[in-house]
């Protein structure tokens, strides 16, 4: 059992001394003993026991100094036996009970000061001291109280800052008071014949305490003289000594224990039950006490002092003290934290002083004896300052308790406790067999497997590779390489796993953990591992780098406490590489947690493995690949490869499945290029080489679908390196290159001259290829469409190199005449362009359309800028328009071409107003009849008349506007509340302020705005 206390006799009466010890009192280094003769003996305790149970004096003086030295004996302290002693240190007085009288003595001289005659017939008393703040001033003062029981009456005396109060209130209870215990500074528990009551000494309120069995408290239980006699004590009604004495003691802050016979009742300071079970006493104790943090009970019939845990109520120690009759625990005044370190027990002839061992040794002893619940409870009750690394010790013992629960097949409770203390994942994972924990397992099965691995038995590895080999012959090499990596990792850890297991501690029942038991344990393990993943995310980024906040974590916690990051790791003495930095160890732990979680999912909840891969994880790629290949979960394998950025492995697997001729039901989603295209679309632009490598076979299989990799409306597709993509597509098919160029130019608005020029080059290359020329007559529509896009792009794009394109277009090739005309127009050489339309293409409509386009894009902006000058003379002075150039080609063509009267007259008829008469008439030959120019002159005359009429109308409108404005100024507008034009008025008062500077006007000049706002004349310009 636990050795929390050691008993050491300090006072033993000599054989010739016929006195008996009746009362004891210990305070400081003084021990007062009241004898049956009425004498008081004062001892000085030299052997002061410290917190560790050791003597504070020097070893050399141990043989010379007695444990307790008699200082004096007050022989005439009382005429009768001394029944009870107590002190009020704040008032320097000693209180004694003798012959039913309460007396007050001086604490230094022990001389009698006063006898409380009002308390004649007293049977017991209780004292307390407390610090109380004044409600008005807030000044603290020490208040000491003395409660004396006189039959049914409870009489109270009080001292305020060592001054005795003149008031002595009384409270009369239902029956005779047997015992008293102060619950607080103002409440006292009184034990009656068969019940307990709580008395508030300030308000005199009495509250019944109802408890089980002989604790009593029910209605009518105190009605008779023998109401307190229980079944165990009713042997002879006349023997009042057989009635169980009501006992009570204070425990921790706010708790009390009531005991009568073998019944117990835990209450708070208000008398309410705490709902805790009773103490399993076999024999009723004669005295109880509380020595922090233990519950004490003295059984005089056996001469045994029992030490119990007040929370678990378990028996921790039994100390044999022959004929022990009294238990005295020094009364705490303010705090219970360090009370009772030196409590004493006495018999009629001897006094023992109880020395407490250091708390760290007590906890270690409990843990070594397997009393983990008691150790955990004791750690929870003790203050942090009394222990070395309380948090760490509590955590370690709770982990031992969790491991014990695991061995007892209580998996939920075990894993919940592991989670509560944030146990290192490695320590928990070791408890599971190899199929869950891998090479970290400490089971017998793992040792046998490691032995087989070291001896070269690879049959299981070969069997696991057959699943991938059955799909395709090309997969064999890849799968074997994966297995080799797994085997090498297993061999590397085979020499160390057993050592690690022994260091942590093994489970005796782990080898039998299988079947339903293993599944149940694995389901509970999943929640623990998910919690561990969450804790790891506080310190690790998805890419494995340490977060900044984790670097400062140690500074936030005190020394001797494990940091939050270290709680995830096993102690460094259990690791192989002691020089590893914390970041690497955290990454290794994250890898272990995620890999084990994957194994747990695959064993107990396979449907949850897929979602794990879609989150950032640190799973071991070799383990996951091997397991998924074994179970043929290829979709999850591809998702895992994507999450781990093993894109080449994923794409190779997709290609092998996608190119198969026969579709397999298990991999129906992977058949064809659809999954590969979707995978490539999700890759970032920096992996362009890999994208282009594996985009080849989808482009050959389904071109329309595969082009979505490059032209889809996604961010990845839009940010791909366009030059590399274009070079790749052009090597496959120029049509794909054209489509990609048209996409980036027309939809993405790419204005790079390089791509515009390359699109023209591809157009020209296609028009010149034998593919079009060889079947010009069979598929003329396709070539025309190709040529139409080429010409349209030449017209709309301003970003290609005009001179370079013009050099690529032969002068004598009829197929590019129109293209040359467009490029010449882009270069501003309009006459050369019209020359091609008129003489080479012989297409007056296109020539006229070309002039219309030039007029709208180049000449109209110039005309609009000079629209203010619209006189006939100004129109005649303008430079010749593009129509004039076309007309000159029709009427004065270069040799050997002839004049074209019809198109020329058509131009004169349609665009006559745009052709100045001075320069146009010079081009018309004299042989042309005037009648043919009727339409031209009519258009010119109509244009001149329109110009004159427009000027007259504009002048009249300006006159009307001037008249309207003048009338408004003179007469005002038509609003009912408006002033009359120039007759409008405003009123300036002393209160009216300027709307700008907010000052009064006074005699300053003012200005009235159109909205009748008045401002200073100087402020109007601000």
């Amino acid at each position: 059992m636990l050795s929390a206390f050691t008993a050491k006799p300090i006072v033993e009466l000599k054989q010739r001394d016929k006195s008996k010890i009746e009362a004891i009192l210990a305070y400081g280094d003084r021990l007062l003993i009241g004898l049956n003769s009425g004498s008081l003996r004062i001892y000085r305790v030299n052997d002061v026991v410290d917190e560790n149970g050791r003597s504070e004096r020097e070893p050399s003086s141990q043989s010379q100094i007695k444990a307790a030295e008699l200082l004096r004996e007050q022989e005439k302290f009382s005429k009768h036996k001394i029944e009870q002693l107590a002190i009020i240190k704040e008032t320097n007085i000693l209180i004694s009970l003798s012959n039913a009288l309460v007396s007050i003595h001086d604490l230094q001289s022990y001389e009698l000061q006063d006898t409380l005659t009002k308390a004649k017939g007293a049977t017991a008393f209780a004292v307390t001291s407390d610090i109380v703040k004044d409600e008005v001033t807030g000044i603290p003062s020490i208040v000491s109280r003395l409660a004396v029981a006189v039959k049914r009456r409870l009489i109270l005396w009080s001292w305020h800052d060592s001054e005795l109060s003149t008031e002595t209130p009384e409270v009369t209870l239902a029956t005779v008071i047997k015992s008293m215990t102060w619950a607080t500074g103002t409440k006292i528990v009184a034990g009656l014949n068969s019940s307990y009551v709580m008395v508030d000494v300030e308000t005199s309120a009495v509250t019944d305490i109802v408890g089980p069995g002989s604790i009593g408290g029910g209605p009518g239980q105190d009605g008779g003289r023998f109401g307190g006699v229980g079944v165990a004590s009713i042997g002879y009604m006349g023997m009042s000594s057989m009635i169980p004495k009501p006992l009570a003691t204070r425990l921790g802050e706010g708790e009390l224990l009531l005991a009568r016979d073998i019944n117990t009742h835990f209450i708070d300071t208000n008398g309410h039950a705490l709902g805790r079970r009773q103490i399993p006493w076999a024999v009723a104790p004669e005295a109880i006490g509380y020595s922090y943090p233990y519950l004490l009970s003295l059984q005089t019939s056996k001469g045994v002092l029992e030490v119990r845990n007040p929370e678990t109520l378990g028996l921790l120690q039994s100390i044999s003290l022959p004929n022990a009759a009294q238990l005295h625990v020094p009364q705490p005044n303010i705090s219970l934290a360090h009370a009772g370190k030196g409590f004493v027990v006495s018999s009629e002839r001897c006094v023992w002083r109880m020395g407490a061992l250091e708390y760290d040794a007590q906890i270690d002893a409990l843990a070594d004896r397997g009393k983990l619940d008691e150790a955990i409870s004791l750690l929870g009750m003790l203050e942090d300052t009394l222990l070395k690394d309380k948090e760490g010790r509590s955590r370690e013992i709770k982990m031992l308790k969790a491991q014990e629960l695991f061995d007892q097949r209580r998996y939920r409770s075990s894993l919940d406790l592991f989670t509560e203390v944030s146990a290192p994942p490695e320590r928990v994972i070791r408890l599971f067999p190899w199929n869950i924990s891998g090479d970290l397992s400490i089971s017998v099965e793992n040792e046998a497997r490691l032995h087989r691995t070291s001896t070269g038995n690879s049959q299981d590895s070969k069997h696991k590779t057959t699943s991938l080999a059955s799909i395709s012959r090309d997969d064999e090499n890849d799968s074997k390489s994966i297995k080799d990596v797994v085997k090498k990792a297993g061999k590397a850890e085979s020499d160390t796993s057993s050592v690690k297991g022994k260091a942590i501690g093994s489970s005796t029942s782990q080898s039998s953990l299988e079947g339903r038991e293993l599944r149940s344990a694995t389901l509970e393990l999943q929640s623990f591992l998910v919690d561990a993943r969450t804790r790891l995310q506080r310190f690790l980024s998805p890419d494995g780098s340490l977060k900044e906040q984790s670097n400062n974590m140690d500074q936030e916690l005190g020394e001797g406490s494990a940091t939050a990051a270290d709680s995830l790791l096993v102690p460094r003495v259990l690791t192989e590489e002691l020089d590893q930095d914390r970041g690497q160890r955290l990454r290794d732990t994250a890898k272990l947690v995620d890999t084990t979680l994957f194994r747990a999912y695959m064993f107990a909840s396979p449907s949850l493995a897929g979602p794990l891969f879609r989150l950032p994880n640190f799973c071991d790629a070799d383990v996951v690949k091997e397991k998924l290949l074994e179970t043929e979960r290829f979709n999850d394998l591809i998702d895992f490869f994507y999450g781990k950025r093993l894109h080449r492995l994923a794409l190779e697997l997709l290609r092998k499945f996608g190119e198969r001729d026969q579709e397999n039901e298990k991999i129906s989603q992977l058949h064809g290029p659809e999954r590969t295209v979707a995978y490539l679309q999700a890759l970032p632009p920096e992996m362009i080489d890999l994208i282009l490598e594996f985009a080849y076979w989808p482009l050959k299989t389904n071109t329309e679908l595969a082009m979505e990799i490059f032209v889809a409306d996604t961010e990845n597709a839009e940010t791909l390196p366009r030059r590399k993509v274009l070079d790749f597509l052009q090597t496959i098919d120029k049509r794909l290159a054209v489509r990609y160029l048209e996409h980036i130019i027309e939809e993405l608005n790419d204005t790079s001259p390089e791509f515009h020029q390359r699109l023209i080059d591809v157009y020209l290359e296609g028009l010149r290829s034998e593919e079009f020329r060889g079947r010009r007559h069979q598929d003329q529509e396709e070539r025309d469409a190709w040529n139409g896009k080429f010409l349209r792009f030449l017209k709309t794009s301003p970003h290609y190199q005009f001179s370079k394109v013009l050099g690529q277009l032969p002068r004598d090739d009829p197929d590019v005449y129109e293209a040359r005309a467009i490029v010449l127009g882009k270069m501003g050489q309009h006459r050369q362009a019209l020359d091609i339309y008129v003489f080479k293409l012989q297409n007056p409509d296109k020539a006229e359309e070309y002039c219309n386009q030039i007029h709208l894009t180049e000449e109209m902006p110039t005309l609009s800028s000079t629209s203010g000058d619209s006189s006939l003379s100004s129109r005649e002075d303008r430079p010749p328009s593009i129509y004039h150039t076309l007309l000159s080609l029709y009427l004065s063509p270069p040799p050997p071409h002839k004049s074209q009267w019809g198109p020329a007259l058509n131009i004169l008829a349609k665009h006559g107003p745009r052709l100045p008469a001075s320069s146009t008439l010079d081009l018309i030959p004299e042989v042309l009849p005037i009648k043919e120019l009727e339409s031209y002159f009519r258009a010119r005359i109509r244009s001149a008349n329109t110009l004159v009429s427009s000027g007259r109308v504009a002048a009249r409108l300006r006159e009307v506007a001037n008249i309207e404005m003048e009338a408004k100024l003179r007469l005002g507008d038509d609003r009912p509340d408006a002033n009359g034009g120039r007759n409008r008025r405003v009123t300036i008062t002393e209160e009216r302020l300027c709307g700008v500077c907010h000052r009064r006007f006074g005699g300053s000049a003012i200005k009235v705005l159109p909205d009748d706002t008045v401002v200073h004349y100087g402020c109007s310009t601000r």
Side-chain angles (χ1 to χ4, degrees):
M1 299 181 71
L2 177 65
S3 298
F5 297 98
T6 56
K8 183 177 181 179
I10 57 174
V11 175
E12 294 184 72
L13 300 183
K14 296 180 181 180
Q15 292 182 355
R16 63 176 181 270
D17 190 350
K18 304 302 180 181
S19 302
K20 295 181 181 179
I21 300 175
E22 296 289 342
I24 56 176
L25 173 64
Y27 66 96
D29 62 345
R30 294 291 187 270
L31 175 63
L32 307 184
I33 298 179
L35 303 178
N36 60 345
S37 61
S39 298
L40 178 69
R41 293 182 181 178
I42 299 94
Y43 291 86
R44 179 175 63 199
V45 180
N46 297 319
D47 191 9
V48 180
V49 179
D50 63 4
E51 295 182 3
N52 301 326
R54 299 187 297 268
S55 176
E56 292 182 352
R57 57 190 172 94
E58 296 295 333
S60 60
S61 61
Q62 185 174 3
S63 59
Q64 301 177 2
I65 302 179
K66 297 180 180 180
E69 181 181 357
L70 180 63
L71 297 180
R72 61 183 295 185
E73 181 175 356
Q74 195 80 6
E75 295 183 353
K76 297 181 180 180
F77 186 79
S78 175
K79 295 180 180 181
H80 302 85
K81 69 176 182 180
I82 302 172
E83 301 176 14
Q84 187 178 355
L85 294 171
I87 66 168
I88 300 179
K89 190 175 182 180
E90 291 74 19
T91 58
N92 198 31
I93 61 174
L94 172 65
I95 302 174
S96 66
L97 173 63
S98 177
N99 193 27
L101 288 176
V102 177
S103 302
I104 299 177
H105 306 262
D106 184 83
L107 187 58
Q108 302 298 326
S109 63
Y110 305 104
E111 297 294 333
L112 179 65
Q113 292 184 351
D114 191 11
T115 299
L116 303 180
T117 57
K118 189 176 181 180
K120 186 176 182 179
T123 57
F125 67 85
V127 298
T128 186
S129 296
D130 197 12
I131 297 178
V132 179
K133 286 187 177 181
D134 188 270
E135 297 181 356
V136 179
T137 62
I139 299 175
S141 61
I142 298 178
V143 178
S144 302
R145 288 187 172 91
L146 169 65
V148 181
V150 182
K151 296 183 179 181
R152 293 170 51 197
R153 295 182 301 157
L154 181 65
I155 308 175
L156 297 166
W157 283 266
S158 62
W159 287 263
H160 296 266
D161 290 334
S162 303
E163 293 184 4
L164 179 63
S165 176
T166 58
E167 297 180 359
T168 55
E170 296 184 11
V171 179
T172 303
L173 303 181
T175 59
V176 176
I177 302 172
K178 297 294 185 179
S179 66
M180 293 181 297
T181 303
W182 285 98
T184 64
T186 58
K187 293 183 179 180
I188 189 170
V189 176
L192 309 181
N193 282 335
S194 61
S195 64
Y196 290 87
V197 295
M198 180 78 72
V199 180
D200 190 329
V201 299
E202 291 184 336
T203 62
S204 299
V206 180
T207 304
D208 293 331
I209 300 174
V210 181
S214 59
I215 298 297
Q221 290 195 14
D222 283 323
R225 179 180 177 184
F226 302 103
V229 182
V231 175
S233 57
I234 199 169
Y236 181 67
M237 300 299 292
M239 298 178 62
S240 61
S241 60
M242 297 299 294
I243 300 176
K245 181 181 178 180
L247 305 176
T249 184
R250 290 178 61 180
L251 300 178
E253 291 295 331
E255 294 184 6
L256 290 94
L257 172 63
L258 310 181
R260 186 196 296 271
D261 201 0
I262 59 173
N263 297 115
T264 57
H265 187 46
F266 290 91
I267 62 172
D268 59 13
T269 54
N270 295 319
H272 301 149
L274 297 178
R276 297 169 60 181
R277 65 186 181 91
Q278 297 192 44
I279 300 175
W281 276 324
V283 179
E286 297 296 330
I288 61 175
Y290 178 74
S291 178
Y292 177 86
Y294 297 110
L295 173 64
L296 309 174
S297 61
L298 181 62
Q299 299 175 356
T300 58
S301 60
K302 293 183 177 182
V304 174
L305 176 67
E306 291 186 350
V307 181
R308 292 180 180 269
N309 186 326
E311 288 188 351
T312 64
L313 307 183
L315 179 61
L316 301 179
Q317 185 180 11
S318 293
I319 305 174
S320 178
L321 301 173
N323 301 320
Q326 296 185 50
L327 170 65
H328 172 70
V329 180
Q331 178 72 22
N333 293 331
I334 299 176
S335 173
L336 291 174
H338 303 284
K341 290 293 179 61
F343 70 94
V344 293
V345 180
S346 70
S347 64
E348 291 181 350
R349 307 288 297 175
C350 182
V351 177
W352 293 273
R353 183 172 179 84
M354 312 304 295
L357 298 178
E358 62 179 7
Y359 293 120
D360 291 314
Q362 296 181 32
I363 293 171
D364 292 340
L366 288 173
D368 293 340
R369 290 172 173 79
K371 296 183 176 295
L372 301 178
D373 290 327
E374 301 291 348
I376 293 171
S377 176
L378 181 58
L379 281 166
M381 291 186 294
L382 291 174
E383 295 180 356
D384 296 350
T385 56
L386 302 179
L387 293 169
K388 299 176 182 178
D389 189 16
K390 175 183 176 180
E391 183 180 354
R393 297 171 71 88
S394 176
R395 180 169 177 263
E396 178 62 27
I397 293 177
K398 286 183 179 180
M399 285 191 287
L400 292 175
K401 178 61 179 178
Q403 185 168 334
E404 179 183 287
L405 294 173
F406 191 91
D407 296 340
Q408 297 171 1
R409 298 292 195 265
R410 297 168 62 183
Y411 303 118
R412 172 167 294 184
S413 300
S414 173
L415 272 300
D416 287 346
L417 188 55
F418 274 128
T419 303
E420 177 187 342
V421 300
S422 302
E426 181 178 346
R427 183 167 183 169
V428 180
I429 295 170
R430 286 181 184 276
L431 302 175
F432 287 80
W434 179 83
N435 59 338
I436 300 298
S437 60
D439 294 319
L440 197 64
S441 174
I442 59 176
S443 65
V444 177
E445 175 190 354
N446 182 49
E447 294 177 2
R449 176 184 173 277
L450 294 176
H451 176 71
R452 291 195 302 269
T453 304
S454 62
T455 56
N457 185 2
S458 59
Q459 296 298 324
D460 294 338
S461 178
K462 292 181 180 179
H463 173 72
K464 293 177 182 178
T465 60
T466 56
S467 59
L468 184 58
S470 62
I471 298 173
S472 174
R473 293 292 183 182
D474 297 336
D475 301 343
E476 185 174 359
N477 295 331
D478 187 27
S479 61
K480 285 184 178 181
S481 63
I482 298 169
K483 303 305 178 185
D484 292 339
V485 174
V486 176
K487 288 174 63 178
K488 290 179 182 179
K491 291 180 181 180
E493 295 188 11
S494 62
D495 298 333
T496 60
S497 59
S498 61
V499 177
K500 293 179 182 178
K502 292 178 182 179
I504 295 293
S506 61
S507 173
T508 58
S509 59
Q510 188 192 64
S511 57
S512 61
L513 187 60
E514 57 186 10
R516 183 175 298 178
E517 292 286 343
L518 178 58
R519 179 178 177 83
S520 176
T522 304
L523 288 174
E524 300 300 332
L525 176 65
Q526 292 175 8
S527 60
F528 170 80
L529 294 176
V530 170
D531 178 76
R533 291 188 81 244
T534 304
R535 289 186 284 133
L536 282 165
Q537 290 173 0
R538 296 172 52 193
F539 310 101
L540 289 178
S541 301
D543 59 354
S545 61
L546 278 176
K547 294 183 178 179
E548 294 182 359
Q549 61 179 6
S550 63
N551 297 330
N552 299 326
M553 189 63 65
D554 292 340
Q555 301 177 2
E556 298 177 3
L557 299 177
E559 296 181 359
S561 300
T563 65
D566 288 337
S567 67
L568 294 162
L569 308 173
V570 295
R572 296 181 72 83
V573 295
L574 301 180
T575 59
E576 299 174 16
E577 300 181 7
L578 300 181
D579 57 346
Q580 284 184 320
D581 62 324
R582 179 178 297 175
Q584 183 59 40
R585 297 177 68 203
L586 285 173
R587 284 186 287 271
D588 293 341
T589 303
K591 182 178 181 180
L592 174 64
V593 169
D594 287 351
T595 305
T596 307
L597 183 60
F598 161 73
R599 288 193 178 106
Y601 281 155
M602 291 297 294
F603 178 78
S605 307
S607 60
L608 298 178
L612 175 64
F613 301 148
R614 298 180 184 95
L615 298 173
N617 62 83
F618 296 91
C619 290
D620 189 336
D622 297 331
V623 175
V624 174
K625 183 175 182 181
E626 179 182 4
K627 191 65 176 179
L628 293 181
L629 288 176
E630 177 185 349
T631 56
E632 297 185 358
R633 299 186 59 168
F634 302 110
N635 284 299
D636 291 338
L637 180 59
I638 290 171
D639 291 338
F640 172 73
F641 282 154
Y642 180 81
K644 300 298 290 183
R645 299 183 181 181
L646 301 174
H647 303 301
R648 179 172 293 278
L649 292 176
L651 291 170
E652 287 177 353
L653 194 63
L654 286 172
R655 180 171 61 186
K656 292 168 185 176
F657 291 141
E659 291 179 343
R660 295 185 60 199
D661 297 333
Q662 296 180 356
E663 186 174 352
N664 190 342
E665 294 181 358
K666 294 183 179 180
I667 56 172
S668 58
Q669 297 180 357
L670 305 181
H671 183 72
E674 290 80 5
R675 186 67 186 275
T676 301
V677 171
Y679 194 99
L680 293 174
Q681 284 181 308
L683 294 182
E686 53 267 19
M687 307 193 68
I688 182 61
D689 295 333
L690 191 66
I691 295 174
L692 298 180
E693 179 182 351
F694 286 93
Y696 183 81
W697 78 269
L699 286 170
K700 291 295 185 181
T701 305
N702 189 337
T703 304
E704 190 65 27
L705 175 65
M707 279 301 294
E708 292 297 317
I709 301 172
F710 310 107
V711 300
D713 188 15
T714 62
E715 182 179 358
N716 285 345
E718 294 177 1
T719 54
L720 289 174
R722 295 172 182 176
R723 185 179 294 104
K724 286 189 175 182
V725 174
L726 181 58
D727 295 339
F728 169 72
L729 294 176
Q730 197 163 357
T731 58
I732 299 177
D733 192 342
K734 57 179 175 294
R735 293 183 179 85
L736 301 181
V738 169
R739 179 179 176 184
Y740 181 71
L741 285 169
E742 291 175 346
H743 170 74
I744 64 175
I745 291 174
E746 296 176 3
E747 297 186 17
L748 303 183
N749 298 321
D750 194 320
T751 59
S752 301
E754 176 186 0
F755 295 123
H756 287 252
Q757 184 63 42
R758 290 194 64 172
L759 180 57
I760 293 174
D761 295 342
V762 176
Y763 279 141
L764 287 173
E765 183 181 352
L767 291 172
R768 295 170 182 173
S769 64
E770 296 297 331
E771 184 178 358
F772 285 141
R773 291 184 181 274
R775 51 193 180 99
R776 180 180 300 175
H777 301 288
Q778 290 91 358
D779 199 359
Q780 186 65 30
E781 293 182 359
E782 183 178 357
R783 186 181 188 282
D784 292 342
W786 188 279
N787 188 55
K789 292 193 294 183
F790 173 56
L791 297 177
R792 184 166 56 254
F793 182 73
L794 288 176
K795 292 179 182 179
T796 57
S797 174
H799 301 294
Y800 58 88
Q801 301 176 16
F802 303 137
S803 58
K804 182 177 180 180
V805 175
L806 185 62
Q808 294 175 335
L809 302 175
R811 294 175 177 269
D812 55 352
D813 187 356
D815 294 334
V816 296
Y817 282 161
E818 187 173 358
R820 283 185 60 84
I822 295 173
V823 175
L824 288 170
K826 290 283 187 179
M827 299 174 66
Q829 301 178 11
H830 303 302
R831 187 173 186 85
Q832 289 85 340
L834 290 174
D835 184 272
I836 295 175
Y837 283 119
V838 173
F839 301 114
K840 292 185 178 181
L841 293 177
Q842 297 182 1
N843 193 333
D845 294 336
K846 288 188 176 182
E848 183 180 358
E849 181 183 354
Y850 177 83
C851 292
N852 292 338
Q853 182 180 358
I854 298 301
H855 177 74
L856 292 175
T857 57
E858 297 183 7
E859 296 181 357
M860 284 300 295
T862 304
L863 294 176
S864 61
S865 62
T866 59
S867 58
D869 188 5
S870 58
S871 62
L872 290 175
S873 59
S874 64
R875 287 198 172 191
E876 294 295 335
D877 296 338
R878 292 172 183 170
S881 65
I882 187 65
Y883 299 102
H884 186 276
T885 304
L886 179 59
L887 183 61
S888 65
L889 290 176
Y890 283 141
L891 298 180
S892 303
H897 304 291
K898 297 181 180 180
S899 301
Q900 301 180 25
W901 306 107
L905 294 175
N906 187 36
I907 292 297
L908 289 171
K910 290 182 178 180
H911 307 284
R914 299 167 186 164
L915 295 171
S918 58
S919 57
T920 302
L921 294 178
D922 292 340
L923 296 175
I924 298 175
E926 296 180 357
V927 295
L928 184 65
I930 296 300
K931 183 178 181 180
E932 300 295 337
L933 299 176
E934 179 182 359
S935 58
Y936 167 72
F937 289 117
R938 182 174 294 162
R940 290 291 301 172
I941 294 171
R942 186 180 296 112
S943 176
N945 291 336
T946 300
L947 184 61
V948 173
S949 300
S950 299
R952 292 175 179 175
V953 170
R956 293 297 299 166
L957 290 175
R958 283 194 292 272
E959 291 180 2
V960 171
N962 292 336
I963 293 173
E964 182 179 0
M965 181 59 65
E966 185 177 358
K968 188 178 295 185
L969 290 175
R970 291 180 178 274
L971 305 176
D973 49 22
D974 297 334
R975 292 183 302 170
D977 56 342
N979 293 330
R982 291 185 177 179
N983 294 328
R984 66 192 180 112
R985 58 190 179 276
V986 293
T987 303
I988 305 299
T989 62
E990 293 183 357
E991 291 78 12
R992 188 158 186 171
L993 305 178
C994 173
V996 177
C997 65
H998 305 289
R999 296 180 181 177
R1000 290 186 175 87
F1001 291 105
S1004 303
I1006 62 172
K1007 184 175 183 179
V1008 182
L1009 302 180
D1011 59 350
D1012 292 343
T1013 301
V1014 182
V1015 296
H1016 288 107
Y1017 189 83
C1019 296
S1020 63
T1021 58
R1022 293 183 182 179

